[in-house]
Amino acid sequence: MRTLNDYFLYGVIDDVSTASTVRIAVPDAGKVIKISSVLGGTIATSDATVTAKVNTTNITGGALTITASGSAAGDIDTAEPTAANNVVEGDFIALATDGASTNTHSLHFTIVVRR
């Protein structure tokens, strides 16, 4: 259950199978409590690992593994960060894929921040 103290940030990596990063501006202080992703289509060869950071610091427990085996459009993965997940206005949250998979598909993110 969400509280009125939660807000949501959204981002997209256009191609999860190409190493790249999306950066999302933080509008208000809080703590990242959940990161969810939804896959745009089937990936192959290897899993894609997505690393989450606040500015340049890794968020502990914020990595997502997008599994190639059995993957399909609509697959959802989640992470619940445990440390290094505090943000302040003016920070950014970076989500970076290692690009280890194949097939060109988007990966959409929702980040829940609790004030």
Side-chain angles (χ1 to χ4, degrees), residues 13 16-17 21 30 44 54 58 73 95 98-99 108 111 115:
I13 290 179
V16 69
S17 297
T21 302
V54 174
N58 283 351
L95 298 157
D98 64 0
H108 294 252
I111 301 164
R115 292 184 190 115

Side-chain angles (χ1 to χ4, degrees), residues 11-95:
V12 177
I13 290 179
D14 292 328
D15 179 5
V16 69
S17 297
T18 298
S20 60
T21 302
V22 62
R23 291 171 185 85
I24 305 159
V26 173
D28 197 14
K31 180 179 286 198
V32 177
I33 62 166
K34 188 172 187 178
I35 302 169
S36 298
S37 69
V38 63
L39 184 60
T42 302
I43 60 172
T45 307
S46 295
D47 297 344
T49 300
V50 177
T51 304
K53 297 180 178 191
V54 174
N55 300 318
T56 59
T57 302
N58 283 351
I59 296 175
T60 304
L64 297 165
T65 300
I66 314 306
T67 305
S69 177
S71 66
D75 283 357
I76 295 175
D77 291 287
T78 61
E80 294 185 7
T82 57
N85 54 338
N86 291 313
V87 294
V88 296
E89 182 178 348
D91 281 347
F92 64 86
I93 297 170
L95 298 157

